[in-house]
Amino acid sequence: MAERFSGTVLRRKQDGYETRPAMGEIGLNHFAPYLMNRITARWNANMAEELKGHDITTAKMRALAVLAVSTSVTINELSVFAVTEQSTMSRTLDSLEEQGYIRRQPRPEDMRVRDVSITEEGRAAFEQIWPTMYDLFLQMFDGVEESEYRVFISTLHRVLHNIRKHEI
């Protein structure tokens, strides 16, 4: 595996034994999880700042984004898609429901399961914040060629497949 990563040693054999490099040998700026965390933290901070005027939190924005492209999902599915703890998602949905942005309905075949869907008011609220999301997305990928972006997305999907706990 290490041979695939030129310049960065992920694993190496020494005297027949597998060893791992020290963090200092790799360096933070070459350690993908560190970079992904920095990017995500900056994205979230930028979004939170931009969303203040809309009475929308990043958790609400994520939920509305997922629901804007789904017919309905369960709370568990929404938690996975929105990358939010289920307890946080439940509180977020309470607030979104109070705002009239979502509706929760029991599933006819299993009354214990609640399907969550976006309302017209929720769709309108998301359409107001979408331009901001898209502009920040464009800013984040400024100078990245379309072909580089496609490879990046493909790589992210492979990495997600390697670490995911859910099939979605």
Side-chain angles (χ1 to χ4, degrees):
M1 179 172 159
E3 299 79 38
R4 295 189 308 191
F5 296 93
S6 64
T8 305
V9 179
L10 294 183
R11 295 183 189 184
R12 62 179 178 204
K13 292 224 177 203
Q14 183 176 339
D15 300 325
Y17 296 98
E18 187 175 285
T19 62
R20 287 173 177 77
M23 177 58 80
E25 291 177 273
I26 296 172
L28 288 177
N29 287 324
H30 295 281
F31 192 62
Y34 169 75
L35 293 172
M36 290 186 292
N37 280 329
R38 281 195 64 191
I39 292 165
T40 301
R42 176 56 20 221
W43 166 266
N44 287 331
N46 289 349
M47 282 305 306
E49 186 64 32
E50 293 292 331
L51 293 173
K52 280 182 183 174
H54 296 279
D55 192 28
I56 300 278
T57 64
T58 53
K60 288 179 180 181
M61 176 267 302
R62 288 179 192 160
L64 289 175
V66 171
L67 293 169
V69 297
S70 306
T71 52
S72 75
V73 293
T74 67
I75 296 171
N76 290 343
E77 290 168 336
L78 188 54
S79 295
V80 172
F81 285 132
V83 193
T84 305
E85 294 286 333
Q86 188 173 0
S87 58
T88 302
M89 182 54 66
S90 291
R91 289 189 304 276
T92 298
L93 292 176
D94 289 343
S95 181
L96 287 170
E97 195 168 41
E98 286 173 17
Q99 289 176 286
Y101 293 167
I102 61 111
R103 121 181 13 94
R104 290 183 272 197
Q105 296 176 311
R107 236 182 223 174
E109 66 273 11
D110 188 347
M111 298 298 276
R112 297 169 298 170
V113 177
R114 302 256 181 219
D115 282 317
V116 182
S117 58
I118 195 167
T119 63
E120 288 305 314
E121 293 85 359
R123 192 169 304 285
F126 181 72
E127 287 173 6
Q128 284 185 334
I129 61 175
W130 171 244
T132 298
M133 288 178 67
Y134 191 71
D135 289 348
L136 288 175
F137 161 77
L138 290 177
Q139 176 188 358
M140 184 166 46
F141 285 97
D142 185 39
V144 176
E145 298 295 326
E146 187 174 341
S147 61
E148 293 173 303
Y149 181 77
R150 280 195 306 269
V151 169
F152 178 66
I153 293 297
S154 176
T155 301
L156 289 175
H157 280 283
R158 271 188 262 141
V159 171
L160 180 60
H161 176 78
N162 290 342
I163 67 167
R164 74 180 180 193
K165 290 186 178 188
H166 306 280
E167 287 302 312
I168 55 177

